[in-house]
Amino acid sequence: MNLAVNNTSLFLAAMLVLVALAISLWQKLGLDKDIVIGVIRAVVQLFLVGYLLKYIFRVNNLWLTLAMIAFIIFNAAWNARKRGPGIDHALGISLLAILISTGVTLGVLVLSGAIKFIPSQMIPISGMIASNSMVAIGLAYRSLNSQFHDHRQGVLERLALGSGLLDASIAIVREAIRTGMSPTIDSAKTVGLVSLPGMMSGLIFAGVDPVRAIKYQIMVTFMLLSATSLGSIIACYLAYRNFYNEHKQLK
Amino acid sequence: MDALMTLKQINYEVADKQILHDIDWQIPTGAHITVTGPSGGGKSTLLRIMAAMITKTSGELTFAGQPIESYDPIMYRRQVSYCFQQPTLFGETVADNMAFPYQIRKQSMDREHVITALTNFGLSERTLQQAVTELSGGERQRVALIRNILFLPQVLLLDEVTAGLDEDNKQLIHAWLRRLNEQKHVTTIMITHDATEIAAADQLVKVVAGRLEVAQ
């Protein structure tokens, strides 16, 4: 392997942060504080995670691995919730949606033999699945919120005609699921042509034959489609009812 | 005649602002009532409460002898149907709109019945395939009203449905409403500001500053 990032080169690469800082100051973007905080957080978080993963991989304990996956899922749900202001139980809904989408996708990958149930494979893959599911759910929440606002009159008219809540919301729910899934579908179309995605780049970096590396990327594409579609559909079907009160009226 | 709907001491307030004050009102079966009053007086709010689109703050509302709370709101709205002033049409074509009431009842569209309903209201079978964006204001309102009566409700609540329409369309809608009332015995309650409509009213009530005044 010819991986050569050492502390000195990392320190020199930190000059790149100065580029962003300089632009922020020069153009008066007011982002300098955020950049500094962002960089410090990234460095501290990644160092902690690096040491933590090193420990978990070495111990190779089933419960510790599951606890780490649970921690990832909970954090993903916590972040997805923030995209759904005004949606009650958004944390519970996100947790269930991410848990099921990650669980099902991981289960298929393990059972098919694509990945092994060892921490060094399970944890990074769980992170990729949960974070994509999180982004999809966040987009779906945002879409639900904006559509229930923009199409309020149409929903009211459907209700006035004696429509059930799902019939009154179905067009909105479908559009929100579509919004959640579309980035994954779009990136599936351009994968390899526009960018070499993380999984594949990482393997190539580590010296793996590109033809083997793409097989992993193909697996990632499949798993992200499953994760984002399951995450979006579960979250939308559980969340739409929150836009109505107990009298089946639009809030 | 028995009262189909009874309102007792209905109050409605939102964000500490009192919109309706102690409304007492009995609506007999088969009535054809015109509601008028200044803008912002609470007419629409009153009809929306009666349509279970919003919930009263206090008071009693009964329909067919039972308190409104005892009904499933969805089934109730199929009996007490609310029509909007500027309706939104669904989907792409008129047919999409005609299909909606069937869709929510898990039925397939009864084409014959829909065509009869269109013809009775000055439209035709050809209208079915028309894009909703091509309709005139009067046609839009008629299509929207037909959606409300493909399955006949017991009560039709109409919120200024003729506002902004030309005289011909107003006449068409009035004649249609009267037929529904006289032949199909649908109880109709219509909000209007139109002087001709007020003058032609069988029964007129006024809602002023959140209070009901029975005129005539």
Side-chain angles (χ1 to χ4, degrees):
Chain A
M1 284 201 282
N2 38 10
L3 301 180
V5 179
N6 56 38
N7 289 341
T8 320
S9 53
L10 204 54
F11 181 76
L12 292 173
M15 299 297 168
L16 296 171
V17 175
L18 297 179
V19 174
L21 266 181
I23 289 174
S24 171
L25 290 172
W26 176 39
Q27 289 294 314
K28 299 187 174 65
L29 303 179
L31 289 174
D32 31 308
K33 200 176 148 198
D34 284 326
I35 292 172
V36 172
I37 293 174
V39 167
I40 293 172
R41 276 193 62 163
V43 171
V44 172
Q45 282 167 202
L46 288 173
F47 264 101
L48 284 177
V49 167
Y51 282 107
L52 182 67
L53 288 178
K54 189 174 177 178
Y55 172 74
I56 292 173
F57 293 171
R58 201 178 57 218
V59 175
N60 192 7
N61 174 288
L62 169 72
W63 297 109
L64 197 56
T65 307
L66 289 178
M68 188 67 198
I69 294 173
F71 175 74
I72 290 171
I73 291 175
F74 183 80
N75 270 322
W78 187 263
N79 274 293
R81 183 197 67 136
K82 291 185 198 158
R83 309 275 166 85
I87 298 177
D88 294 338
H89 318 298
L91 179 61
I93 293 171
S94 313
L95 200 55
L96 190 66
I98 297 177
L99 186 68
I100 294 176
S101 59
T102 309
V104 169
T105 311
L106 269 181
V108 171
L109 292 177
V110 170
L111 290 176
S112 65
I115 61 169
K116 293 197 187 76
F117 199 100
I118 53 170
S120 62
Q121 295 198 2
M122 290 297 280
I123 293 170
I125 295 287
S126 302
M128 287 170 77
I129 299 173
S131 74
N132 277 275
S133 190
M134 167 189 91
V135 171
I137 293 168
L139 288 172
Y141 282 161
R142 205 173 274 183
S143 170
L144 283 177
N145 267 329
S146 70
Q147 287 192 84
F148 269 107
H149 179 265
D150 295 347
H151 303 301
R152 189 177 172 81
Q153 181 65 18
V155 175
L156 286 174
E157 295 199 25
R158 286 176 173 88
L159 290 177
L161 290 169
S163 160
L165 303 189
L166 183 58
D167 277 320
S169 331
I170 191 68
I172 291 176
V173 167
R174 283 192 188 133
E175 184 56 31
I177 296 173
R178 212 175 285 139
T179 305
M181 290 176 67
S182 60
T184 309
I185 297 171
D186 286 345
S187 71
K189 286 185 202 155
T190 57
V191 69
L193 300 178
V194 179
S195 71
L196 298 184
M199 180 79 163
M200 184 173 155
S201 305
L203 290 171
I204 294 174
F205 239 73
V208 172
D209 174 2
V211 178
R212 275 189 70 200
I214 57 132
K215 288 188 187 161
Y216 277 95
Q217 196 56 51
I218 291 171
M219 177 192 86
V220 168
T221 304
F222 293 166
M223 79 186 194
L224 296 187
L225 281 171
S226 143
T228 54
S229 54
L230 278 172
S232 307
I233 194 172
I234 294 169
C236 287
Y237 270 85
L238 292 175
Y240 82 87
R241 284 182 167 270
N242 278 293
F243 291 86
Y244 300 92
N245 66 17
E246 71 273 26
H247 303 293
K248 300 184 181 172
Q249 296 159 348
L250 194 56
K251 279 182 196 167
Chain B
M1 254 194 292
D2 285 347
L4 180 59
M5 282 182 112
T6 308
L7 288 77
K8 269 188 209 156
Q9 301 280 300
I10 298 285
N11 282 282
Y12 184 73
E13 56 183 81
V14 63
D16 285 340
K17 191 167 179 275
Q18 188 94 5
I19 312 286
L20 295 175
H21 300 266
D22 299 331
I23 303 275
D24 286 311
W25 196 13
Q26 296 223 337
I27 295 140
T29 308
H32 187 55
I33 303 171
T34 304
V35 182
T36 188
S39 295
K43 303 181 297 293
S44 290
T45 305
L46 180 58
L47 258 61
R48 285 180 187 222
I49 289 173
M50 291 164 72
M53 297 297 287
I54 52 177
T55 303
K56 60 192 163 51
T57 310
S58 65
E60 280 175 46
L61 171 55
T62 59
F63 170 69
Q66 301 291 322
I68 190 169
E69 293 80 9
S70 70
Y71 294 94
D72 172 53
I74 292 161
M75 295 306 153
Y76 176 87
R77 291 178 197 133
R78 293 182 185 179
Q79 294 304 319
V80 182
S81 194
Y82 184 90
C83 313
F84 288 81
Q85 183 179 350
Q86 281 173 333
T88 308
L89 297 184
F90 310 146
E92 316 256 306
T93 63
V94 172
D96 293 337
N97 287 273
M98 298 294 111
F100 190 74
Y102 293 94
Q103 192 187 315
I104 61 177
R105 290 168 174 84
K106 311 262 177 276
Q107 297 177 19
S108 52
M109 190 175 92
D110 180 348
R111 216 182 143 80
E112 289 302 306
H113 182 59
V114 167
I115 292 168
T116 311
L118 287 168
T119 333
N120 283 343
F121 212 166
L123 299 163
S124 71
E125 189 177 351
R126 274 192 312 130
T127 324
L128 272 180
Q129 297 318 317
Q130 243 181 307
V132 292
T133 48
E134 289 171 7
L135 301 177
S136 71
E139 288 168 334
R140 290 178 71 84
Q141 187 56 278
R142 280 183 273 157
V143 167
L145 288 171
I146 294 171
R147 288 191 309 212
N148 289 77
I149 57 94
L150 283 171
F151 292 83
L152 270 188
Q154 295 190 53
V155 181
L156 205 53
L157 302 170
L158 305 123
D159 193 351
E160 293 193 55
V161 292
T162 58
L165 300 184
D166 57 38
E167 282 308 315
D168 290 349
N169 269 296
K170 280 185 188 173
Q171 298 278 333
L172 260 168
I173 292 175
H174 289 152
W176 179 82
L177 281 174
R178 193 162 286 281
R179 279 202 307 277
L180 269 179
N181 178 245
E182 287 172 0
Q183 295 170 12
K184 311 278 186 187
H185 312 294
V186 177
T187 303
T188 56
I189 303 175
M190 181 176 79
I191 294 180
T192 186
H193 286 292
D194 186 286
T196 328
E197 287 174 354
I198 294 169
D202 291 356
Q203 270 184 286
L204 188 67
V205 300
K206 268 189 177 177
V207 179
V208 181
R211 293 177 199 277
L212 190 80
E213 299 173 2
V214 177
Q216 284 187 351

